[in-house]
């Protein structure tokens, strides 16, 4: 485990421990009721209520501070000291049991020591992801309990109980350390898996985007165009062909020609709506899909594109100014995609034959449909 992974695991473990401790503290009164049930009739009621008052005061203060800590976001670097104080006070509350409730009945003393062992075992799970606080909690519990046994009873049985509690706490601490290490490793692996999953999703999204994007212009490609058209019902298309593009390649070279295509694609997007779809169809041809757009509106968009392209040079060094021929077609009822594209292609052909820099509409006439 690297230092970075260890820091991440510790921070996550601290946060989980804070939430687990809050849950454990809310069930603490159940343990008090159990202790009172054992002691009732065997221990003076004033001793019972004095212990309950002491434990409840510590418990209420600890729970309040812990709740505030969680609301702020339990961060290891900021809250570790306060958290350890909460854990230590929790141990003090339970350890004080030996000061108030033992020494009245040998059998009861044994039961109460067993109760403290149970508390220690339960807290091992609570503090599993932040074991240093657990050591503080059981250390205080052990010290206060043993001191109470020695001072309150001072009998041989008290020594036996103290020895038994000490062995139990020592063994619990020993095994909890190993369990904590496995939990921290699990947190680290969980974080690493989440990070890898995020990287994989990002890589898959990039692959999908690359597969649907024209590498030269950054516009969508034919594959993306086909997928987009599958979900369209009422729409128009614009088929655009840069006029005399071969002349640009012959005069300036193919690298400049590539720059012209990139600049043309960027200029084209300036005249489209956010919901319009633009794809490079091949060579110097582009297709724009205008969803929910009628033929007259599509022609207006095409004219706006035509004048916008011709208005300013696409490149300044070298200075390259182009025009574009545009064919407009609208999907008719019963018409196939191939027929629609054949209509737009025929309109482009007429525009180019008329000298270019024109917008032409498709005509109602039989069309020779070729495979796209």
């Amino acid at each position: 485990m690297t230092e970075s992974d260890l820091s991440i695991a510790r921070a996550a473990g601290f946060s989980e421990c804070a939430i687990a401790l809050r849950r454990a503290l809310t069930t603490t009164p159940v343990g008090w009721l159990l202790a009172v049930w054992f002691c009732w009739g065997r221990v003076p009621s004033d001793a019972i209520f004095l212990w309950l008052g002491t434990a409840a005061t510590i418990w209420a203060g600890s729970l309040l501070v812990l709740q505030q800590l969680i609301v702020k976001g339990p961060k290891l670097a900021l809250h570790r000291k306060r958290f350890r104080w909460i854990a230590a006070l929790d141990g003090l509350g339970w350890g004080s049991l030996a000061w108030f409730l033992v020494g009245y009945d040998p059998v009861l003393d044994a039961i109460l020591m067993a109760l403290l062992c149970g508390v220690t075992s339960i807290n091992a799970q609570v503090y599993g992801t932040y074991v240093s606080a657990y050591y503080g909690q059981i250390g205080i519990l052990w010290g206060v309990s043993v001191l109470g046994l020695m001072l309150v009873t001072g009998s041989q049985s008290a020594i036996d109980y103290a020895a038994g509690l000490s062995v139990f706490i020592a063994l619990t601490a020993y095994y909890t350390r190993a369990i904590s290490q496995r939990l921290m490793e699990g947190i680290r692996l969980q974080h690493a898996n989440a990070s890898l999953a995020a990287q994989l999703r990002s890589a898959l999204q990039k692959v999908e985007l690359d597969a649907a994007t024209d590498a030269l212009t950054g516009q969508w490609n034919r594959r993306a165009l086909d997928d987009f058209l599958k979900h369209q019902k009422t729409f128009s298309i614009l088929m655009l062909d840069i006029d005399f593009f071969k002349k640009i390649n012959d005069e300036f070279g193919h690298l400049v020609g590539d720059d012209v295509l990139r600049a043309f694609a960027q200029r084209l997007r300036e005249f489209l709506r956010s919901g319009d779809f633009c794809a490079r169809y091949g060579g110097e041809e582009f297709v724009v899909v205008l969803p929910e757009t009628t033929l007259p509106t599509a022609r207006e968009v095409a004219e706006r594109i035509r004048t916008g392209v011709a208005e300013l040079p696409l490149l300044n060094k070298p200075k390259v100014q182009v025009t574009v021929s545009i064919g407009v077609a609208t999907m008719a009822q019963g018409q196939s995609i191939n027929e629609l594209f054949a209509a737009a292609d025929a309109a482009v052909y007429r525009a180019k034959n008329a000298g270019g820099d024109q917008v032409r509409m498709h005509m109602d006439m039989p069309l020779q449909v070729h495979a796209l």
Side-chain angles (χ1 to χ4, degrees):
M1 188 183 301
T2 66
E3 189 61 33
S4 176
D5 290 341
L6 186 59
S7 297
I8 292 171
R10 283 173 175 169
F14 179 81
S15 180
E16 290 184 13
C17 185
I19 295 171
L21 180 56
R22 179 178 61 180
R23 185 168 57 247
L25 286 178
T26 57
T27 62
T28 295
V30 176
W32 298 344
L33 292 176
L34 187 61
V36 171
W37 183 65
F38 289 145
C39 296
W40 198 258
R42 301 181 182 180
V43 177
S45 57
D46 57 342
I48 294 176
F49 290 123
L50 188 57
W51 172 71
L52 275 178
T54 302
T57 300
I58 294 173
W59 171 81
S62 298
L63 189 59
L64 178 62
V65 173
L66 182 62
Q67 179 61 31
Q68 293 174 347
L69 185 151
I70 292 174
V71 169
K72 293 178 181 178
K75 297 179 180 179
L76 180 60
L78 296 177
H79 302 138
R80 70 173 73 195
K81 289 184 178 179
R82 281 203 294 172
F83 190 83
R84 288 179 178 176
W85 270 106
I86 292 170
L89 289 173
D90 186 34
L92 176 62
W94 280 109
S96 64
L97 175 149
W99 288 77
F100 297 100
L101 305 181
V102 301
Y104 297 97
D105 186 322
V107 175
L108 177 61
D109 292 347
I111 293 174
L112 294 177
M113 291 303 104
L115 178 62
L116 290 181
C117 289
V119 170
T120 303
S121 299
I122 292 172
N123 283 328
Q125 303 176 50
V126 173
Y127 292 94
T129 56
Y130 191 51
V131 73
S132 60
Y134 176 64
Y135 292 153
Q137 195 256 4
I138 61 176
I140 296 295
L141 185 150
W142 172 82
V144 173
S145 299
V146 170
L147 186 60
L149 286 169
M150 296 297 102
L151 294 179
V152 174
T153 63
S155 63
Q156 180 60 43
S157 60
I159 298 175
D160 295 338
Y161 296 147
L165 183 63
S166 300
V167 171
F168 184 87
I169 288 179
L171 290 174
T172 303
Y174 174 77
Y175 287 110
T176 300
R177 180 177 180 82
I179 294 172
S180 177
Q181 289 175 343
R182 288 195 291 270
L183 287 173
M184 299 301 287
E185 177 64 15
I187 292 173
R188 185 195 68 81
L189 290 175
Q190 185 179 25
H191 179 271
N193 289 339
S195 178
L196 288 174
Q199 293 176 24
L200 179 59
R201 284 194 299 270
S202 178
L204 290 175
Q205 290 172 355
K206 186 177 185 303
V207 168
E208 291 177 359
L209 182 62
D210 290 344
T213 304
D214 175 58
L216 178 63
T217 63
Q219 297 297 318
W220 299 111
N221 59 19
R222 288 282 296 271
R223 173 184 172 182
L225 175 63
D226 293 341
D227 290 340
F228 184 78
L229 290 173
K230 291 177 184 178
H231 305 287
Q232 304 304 310
K233 293 182 179 179
T234 303
F235 62 95
S236 297
I237 67 168
L238 311 180
M239 185 169 286
L240 305 93
D241 193 316
I242 300 175
D243 297 325
F244 312 111
F245 185 74
K246 184 176 182 302
K247 182 179 178 181
I248 295 173
N249 280 332
D250 292 341
E251 183 176 350
F252 298 104
H254 288 279
L255 292 178
V256 172
D258 290 345
D259 290 338
V260 168
L261 289 174
R262 281 190 285 266
F264 177 79
Q266 184 176 355
R267 179 78 60 85
L268 179 58
R269 288 300 313 178
E270 296 175 1
F271 299 99
L272 301 179
R273 302 165 300 185
S274 59
D276 297 335
F277 184 92
C278 180
R280 186 184 179 193
Y281 198 63
E284 66 272 20
E285 287 186 307
F286 291 78
V287 169
V288 172
V289 182
L290 306 172
E292 303 294 333
T293 303
T294 62
L295 190 62
T297 302
R299 179 168 188 170
E300 292 177 6
V301 175
E303 282 290 352
R304 190 163 63 245
I305 293 172
R306 183 191 67 79
T307 56
V309 169
E311 193 173 44
L312 296 171
L314 288 179
L315 299 179
N316 292 316
K317 292 183 180 180
K319 186 174 183 179
V320 180
Q321 190 159 3
V322 303
T323 58
V324 61
S325 297
I326 305 175
V328 185
T330 297
M331 189 69 173
Q333 187 173 5
Q335 189 179 36
S336 69
I337 295 294
N338 281 4
E339 290 170 338
L340 176 67
F341 273 76
D345 189 56
V348 172
Y349 183 76
R350 291 195 301 274
K352 294 186 78 67
N353 280 349
D357 193 21
Q358 297 182 33
V359 174
R360 289 297 178 94
M361 315 278 280
H362 78 278
M363 299 176 61
D364 295 327
M365 57 180 289
L367 296 169
Q368 183 70 30
V369 178
H370 301 284
L372 295 177

